[in-house]
Amino acid sequence: MKKIVLILAGVLTPVFLFFGLVLVLLGSMLSIGSQEDVPEITGGGSPPVTGEALKVATKTYQHLMKEQHFTPEGASGALAVGQRESNLDPKAINPAGGVAGLFQWSGWGSFINGNRIHAEGSIKGMDLSTLTLDNELKLLDYELNGSYSKVKDLLSKSKDPVQAAKDWSLYYEGVSLSDGQSKIEMISQLANQWYAYFNGAASSGGDIKMLNDVLGKKVGSGQCYALSDYYVHSISGFHLQGLCAFNIGSDNFSSFTSHGWKVIMKPKASDLVAGAVINWGFGPVAGSVSENPYGHTGVISSVKGNSFSTYEQNVGGVQIVQKMNRTWDSSITSIAIPPKK
């Protein structure tokens, strides 16, 4: 009997080992297949915030990309509104409105605006120890997978960070775009900044050495106008005249043309070229007339279809030179193309 047992053990042991190995391999394959195909995300260039707020932004951006399948544009738009709401501080509290957290959810000490903050269950009463980024990301998932699934649907398909910020503000925060609280100019600029930071705006394509040399630095007064003036003066030796960035093309038409520049008023997307000074009137880049009566200006670095990259200064109130990603729209008042060497 002992011999039979030993023989069976000798025969069955390799069989068990074989099937065990198969199960381990299958488990590994399933585990690999469940991982999101999203690399670890880090930024480059000049972010809109630093320190702890930047850590919060990076973790939130990565979470929205991996767990909610947001596009880079969608995640950038959400961050822009988060910065408007709380300056990206998970422990931010507004007692007057009874709101708290990264996206200022209602129900913190007052139900005047509702009680969203306790809906998922991880944040308890007014217990500050539970008002953490991890718990707030759980709340985000709970809402985006439930009653706010429309927001998830929009931002998982978004190809425009500015529109993503508007969609988040309207459908997740419930702030009408016509309401001054929406701060359209602010969130539009921040959305572009976050997209540029996490996606290397204009890092592919043309570079302009004289502007690369001042990236991250303040040029002149720090206003957008000062950067375009510096660029033009460096090339042709004259200074821009006028007060408003949106009028740079018309105010300086004679100076431009006499120095060999080509000015195109109300350019089409097909008119945009690398190296041109670009000027915006009121719209998605410059904001409304009440928000910014001067318009905005920059220098085009590279162009691909309707999209282009730029060097700009004073974006979102940050008075240093940055690279941005932009898309052609009808608020562009003019471009000025420098003479060929």
Side-chain angles (χ1 to χ4, degrees), residues 9 32 44 83 87 104 113-116 128 159 165 168 190 198 204 232 245 289 293 309 322:
I32 292 168
Q83 189 168 344
N87 286 322
Q104 295 290 277
N113 289 309
N115 185 23
R116 288 172 59 180
L128 282 173
K159 295 299 180 184
W168 186 278
L190 288 173
F198 283 115
S204 60
V232 170
V289 64
S309 56
Q322 302 178 69

Side-chain angles (χ1 to χ4, degrees), residues 224-225 228 240-241 243-253 256 262-269 271-272 276-287 289 292-298 300 308 327-337:
C224 62
Y225 204 105
S228 291
L240 297 177
Q241 303 298 314
L243 180 64
C244 297
F246 65 79
N247 274 338
I248 283 177
S250 55
D251 285 346
N252 297 274
F253 188 87
F256 276 131
K262 180 181 179 181
V263 178
I264 301 176
M265 307 301 293
K266 301 300 293 182
K268 302 184 294 293
D271 293 322
L272 304 182
V277 174
I278 183 167
N279 312 301
W280 287 273
F282 313 120
V285 174
V289 64
N292 174 16
Y294 303 105
H296 190 60
T297 183
I300 299 174
F308 57 98
T327 303
W328 179 90
D329 70 81
S330 60
S331 72
I332 300 170
T333 58
S334 65
I335 59 171
I337 304 171

Side-chain angles (χ1 to χ4, degrees), residues 102-300:
L102 192 64
F103 289 102
Q104 295 290 277
W105 289 276
S106 61
W108 187 266
S110 169
F111 302 142
I112 188 172
N113 289 309
N115 185 23
R116 288 172 59 180
I117 200 163
H118 302 114
E120 182 272 334
S122 294
I123 299 172
K124 311 290 186 182
M126 295 178 69
D127 182 353
L128 282 173
S129 69
T130 66
L131 192 63
T132 64
L133 180 58
D134 286 341
N135 284 344
E136 290 170 28
L137 293 178
K138 293 177 187 176
L139 176 56
L140 267 182
D141 290 343
Y142 175 82
E143 292 194 322
L144 291 172
N145 292 330
S147 55
Y148 290 84
S149 60
K150 177 178 181 177
V151 183
K152 177 178 178 177
D153 183 58
L154 287 169
L155 272 66
S156 64
K157 299 174 183 175
S158 180
K159 295 299 180 184
D160 181 353
V162 172
Q163 186 59 51
K166 292 177 180 178
D167 287 340
W168 186 278
S169 184
L170 179 61
Y171 297 114
Y172 191 78
E173 300 295 335
V175 181
S176 169
L177 298 182
S178 61
D179 189 324
Q181 294 183 78
S182 65
K183 299 182 180 178
I184 294 297
E185 179 189 12
M186 173 194 284
I187 63 174
S188 297
Q189 292 177 337
L190 288 173
N192 278 323
Q193 282 183 275
W194 281 118
Y195 183 80
Y197 174 68
F198 283 115
N199 297 278
S203 59
S204 60
D207 284 326
I208 300 172
K209 185 180 185 307
M210 74 174 77
L211 298 180
N212 274 348
D213 290 345
V214 294
L215 274 173
K217 301 176 183 178
K218 180 179 179 179
V219 172
S221 65
Q223 298 297 315
C224 62
Y225 204 105
L227 179 64
S228 291
D229 178 67
Y230 165 80
Y231 176 67
V232 170
H233 185 262
S234 297
I235 293 174
S236 296
F238 71 92
H239 286 289
L240 297 177
Q241 303 298 314
L243 180 64
C244 297
F246 65 79
N247 274 338
I248 283 177
S250 55
D251 285 346
N252 297 274
F253 188 87
S254 295
S255 295
F256 276 131
T257 54
S258 66
H259 287 83
W261 292 64
K262 180 181 179 181
V263 178
I264 301 176
M265 307 301 293
K266 301 300 293 182
K268 302 184 294 293
S270 57
D271 293 322
L272 304 182
V273 295
V277 174
I278 183 167
N279 312 301
W280 287 273
F282 313 120
V285 174
S288 67
V289 64
S290 61
E291 295 168 321
N292 174 16
Y294 303 105
H296 190 60
T297 183
V299 179
I300 299 174

